[in-house]
Each structure stands twice: as C-alpha cells, then as structure tokens.
Amino acid sequence: MKFGGTSVEDADAFRRVASIVKLAVNAQPVLVVSAIAGFTNSLLASVETAVKGDTRAAARTLDADFERHLSIANELLEPDPRAAFVSVVGDARSKIRQLHKIIAAHPVTSPPLQDEIVAYGEQLSSQLMTAILRQSGLAGRYVDARNCIKTDDVYGSAVPRPETTTTTRTEIAPLLLAAQIPVLGGFIGSTERGVTTTLGRGGSDYTAALIGAALDAREIEIWTDVSGVLTADPRIVPEAQTIRVLSYQEAAELAYFGAKVLHPKTIQPAVDKNIPVRVCNSRAPKEGGTLILSKSEAAPQTVKAIAHKSGITTVQITSARMLGAYGFLRALFEVFDRHQTAVDVVTTSEVSVSLSIDDAGTLPQLIPDLEQLGTVEIEKNRTIISIIGEGLRSTPGIAARVFSVIDDINVSMISVGASSVNLTFLVEESRAVDAINRLHRVCFEPSQVAPAPEEINA
Ligand code: ADP
Ligand code: ASP
Ligand code: MG
C-alpha cells in the first residue's frame, strides 16, 4: 500500500491512512509512504539555495515543513513517541544544515548530497507514520528503505539493481511472519557502498511496485488524491471519470505520456510478476478506483484515456542525403545517444525526420552536431497528446473522429505507436487545454463510459 504526498499532508490525512490500514491488516500489508506534500520541493529548493552559498536561507526554506511534521506529531502522538519523533526531526535538521554547508563550500559535490538531503522527506514521513500506526494499536515497524532498494549511482534518477529482490525479502519477510506492518519511505535507495540515492520525481510508486514484486504481493495499491486513473488529467478536464479497468500496457503508455498519477516505471515490476495494480483515493476509500491487469483480463474498450505532456520541444532535421541512403538514422540517433537525450516521438518523411524531446537542456550541444547532418529546425512549447486504448488496434474511424473535432488546431507528428494502443500527436502548448477538452467530449460521451468491474466479470 503506497500513500502519496497528499495522503500524508496533515494530521487528518495520517488519521485516514491509519483507518485504511486498519481495515487491511488481515491481508498483511506493507506500507510505502511519500514525503509529506510539498516537502520534496522545499528540500530541492534548499539545495539550490545552498549551492549559491546562502546556507541560512537554505535552512529557512525548510522551517515551515519541519513545523508541519511537529504539529502532526503534537496532534496525534502521546508524549513518549512524540518526544522520540521530535528528536528524529531535530537530528534531521542539524544533519541537513551540515550538508548545506558542505554544498555551499563545494558546489560540485551536490548530486549525491542532494539525494542525501532529499531522502529526509521520506525518512521522516515513514517514521512518523510508523509511530502513528503504533499509537492506533497497529504493529507498525519502521524499515529503512535504503536497505531494501539497492541502486546504481546515478543520483537523482537511480536505477534499481537486481539484488533488490533479495535484500527486500531479507528485510521484510521476517517482519511479516511476526505479524508486523513494515513501513518504508518510497523514492529512496542506496548504492552498493551504502550511499543514498533517489529514483526520480514521483518515484514512490516505483518503490511500491519493486517491493510488491519482490514479495510476490497479491496486489500493489497506489493510494492518492483522486479516485483512480481518470479518462484525463482532472486539473485540465473537470469532467474526467474513473477508468475501472486498464491493461498493463494502457497504464504504461498513460504514465509515459504524462498521467502523473502513476510513475512511468511502476508497471514493469507488476507485469514481471503478473501482480494487479490498484489505484485508489485515500480521501474516498470506498470509491472503487482503477484496477490494472494483464491484457486478457482488461476490459476491451476503444479509447480509455487521453494523456498529455507539456513543455515538449520538437527537432526537425532535413537533408537530401537521406534519400535512398542507409546509415542516416543511425548517425542521427547517435547524436542523441552521445548527448544522453531521450526521444519520445519520431516521425519521418523522404527527406526529413522529426523528433520530440522533453528535456531541452542539452539542445545547445545537440544542435551543432545535428547541423552536420542537415538543416535543423526547433519548435518549443509543444504538448504531446496521446489517446490510449487497446481497442485502437481494431476499431476503424477513430483517427477521423479525433482529428475532425480539432480540425482548426495545428497538429504535427501524428503517430500510431508501435504498440497500437496509442494515437499520439503534438499541438502548440497554448491550444492543448482546448484540444484535450474537445477530444474528451468526443471520446467519452455517456455511452462510452467504461463498464463497472461487476459487469466485466459477469
Ligand atoms: P501522489 O502524491 O499521491 O503520488 P500525484 O500528484 O503524483 O499524487 O498524482 C496524482 C495526480 O495526478 C492527480 O491529483 C491528478 O492531478 C494527476 N493526474 C494526471 N493525469 C491523471 C489521470 N489520467 N488520472 C488521474 N490523475 C491524473
Ligand atoms: N516525494 C517524492 C516526490 O515528490 C517521491 C514521490 O512522492 O513519489 O517526487
Ligand atoms: Mg506521485
């Protein structure tokens, strides 16, 4: 059971989690918790300030968040566990202050030290959660996630190593046997040498999936602030509805193309072990949420959801040398490889190739190398829109419906993913909200709503 930042944002949220866990004790839950809402952002901001040399200001950035932890403890814990937690917070504060000083003196040391600092978010929330569970009469037991999730040393987006399965089992299985409820921070891990790492923003979902897979869990539950995966981002489309059932592949595409509700890497460990993933609302636990299953079990429905990702840059390379020549694409992709830049969407014509990238930071180095291959045109501020559903494979006429509803909006780089579960294209960022809302209307009129799980099972 993974609880995200807004599911642990204040005392009421912690109370809600305790009551959700209480109902699940017989299923032998393992808890993964994120940092309290907003704390990871503050911790990262504090590092930026420290890099500039202002350690006092860096510490001040965090005062309000430490106070939030203490006020939750004040409200929910009795004197002894409260005193213990107050001292944990005190230690974190002084350790972070020391780290800020080291960063200020040697800014180049910041990547590993940044992870060391940011990891306090999840360490504090998981220790606080453990104490609150125990206070509610549950056998919570804090486990340092860094002893379970073993990673490489790419600080900020570390990749888990295979031994994570064994280390996780060794740490957690004995606790489950002793009827305890292990509580871990998400998002954090450590290298072979024990140096703290983090898995990338939103990575607590991934931690939950890795732990669920290592323990052969019956289900991986992602508890968040919305009732499951919705037909679109509810911040953009207020009418978005819960999708009852999704296939792993649909969920993976949705996450990859921007649905923040799931970290893009969450699905793979579940697929490897064929473990269902459930996404539920910690504020409305009785609302069904979304169940993510293998394709054969998922509901066949044409279009399931519309995902989008803004802040995209497109790069177009045009060269007559491409005509009938081989080796051109290899040379082109080598440039992206060399500059460690991931490409999302690719389309080609006789003499040009267009690619989309979401990290424009490497452009100044990329462009001169690309210019060796042809004329380069860059367009910034684009949004990728992706229409997702297993039924896209077999249903004629979808593209016509989709594009006719946005026929006054400029669309580029249309592609039907090789997986055939997504139809993807780019629009100008300023037209995205309008386009997504129109598409939502045409794809999800009442007769198209996903059937409830009972109907599928019937
Ligand atoms: P948590 O802190 O629980 O991990 P996140 O903020 O990372 O929560 O993810 C939940 C948010 O994802 C929702 O509040 C919603 O704004 C956003 N979101 C984007 N696309 C979707 C979607 N298709 N379905 C549900 N939520 C979505
Ligand atoms: N706290 C981390 C973040 O904000 C990880 C997570 O919440 O999943 O990115
Ligand atoms: Mg998240």
Side-chain angles (χ1 to χ4, degrees), residues 2-10 34-38 68:
K2 175 261 174 175
F3 293 89
T6 51
S7 299
V8 291
E9 66 186 343
D10 55 20
S34 291
I36 66 170
R68 278 165 70 207

Side-chain angles (χ1 to χ4, degrees), residues 2 5 34-35 40 122 187 200-205:
K2 175 261 174 175
S34 291
T40 306
E122 269 67 12
F187 176 58
R201 293 308 304 270
S204 295
D205 300 336

Side-chain angles (χ1 to χ4, degrees), residues 52-253:
K52 289 183 198 137
D54 194 345
T55 53
R56 280 172 153 225
R60 267 201 311 275
T61 329
L62 301 175
D63 285 345
D65 287 304
F66 285 123
E67 288 311 317
R68 278 165 70 207
H69 284 87
L70 296 173
S71 89
I72 296 169
N74 254 336
E75 194 170 333
L76 298 182
L77 295 178
E78 277 166 9
D80 282 354
R82 188 195 308 155
F85 185 71
V86 168
S87 106
V88 168
V89 171
D91 288 349
R93 258 182 146 147
S94 60
K95 195 73 215 287
I96 289 174
R97 253 187 243 126
Q98 284 171 23
L99 292 165
H100 282 154
K101 282 185 190 145
I102 302 176
I103 290 177
H106 315 276
V108 282
T109 59
S110 71
L113 297 189
Q114 171 165 303
D115 274 4
E116 187 78 34
I117 289 176
V118 170
Y120 278 101
E122 269 67 12
Q123 288 176 68
L124 290 184
S125 63
S126 52
Q127 291 183 75
L128 182 54
M129 179 62 78
T130 309
I132 289 169
L133 291 184
R134 295 182 75 85
Q135 176 98 41
S136 329
L138 297 166
R141 178 78 176 264
Y142 173 67
V143 175
D144 189 334
R146 293 172 296 181
N147 297 334
C148 299
I149 308 291
K150 298 313 254 179
T151 72
D152 67 10
D153 59 2
V154 181
Y155 300 101
S157 57
V159 177
R161 297 161 53 90
E163 67 258 32
T164 292
T165 306
T166 340
T167 46
T168 299
R169 280 189 195 151
T170 311
E171 288 285 317
I172 293 181
L175 301 179
L176 291 175
L177 274 176
Q180 309 240 298
I181 303 175
V183 183
L184 301 85
F187 176 58
I188 65 178
S190 72
T191 64
E192 230 172 345
R193 293 170 50 221
V195 182
T196 302
T197 53
T198 61
L199 305 180
R201 293 308 304 270
S204 295
D205 300 336
Y206 190 27
T207 303
L210 290 165
I211 293 199
L215 299 172
D216 290 310
R218 187 165 55 78
E219 192 166 283
I220 295 161
E221 295 181 355
I222 307 294
W223 291 83
T224 182
D225 62 347
V226 286
S227 292
V229 181
L230 308 185
T231 47
D233 184 341
R235 287 168 301 187
I236 304 281
V237 183
E239 295 79 20
Q241 304 144 10
T242 299
I243 307 164
R244 294 291 167 207
V245 187
L246 275 175
S247 72
Y248 286 133
Q249 202 180 351
E250 289 169 334
E253 300 272 344

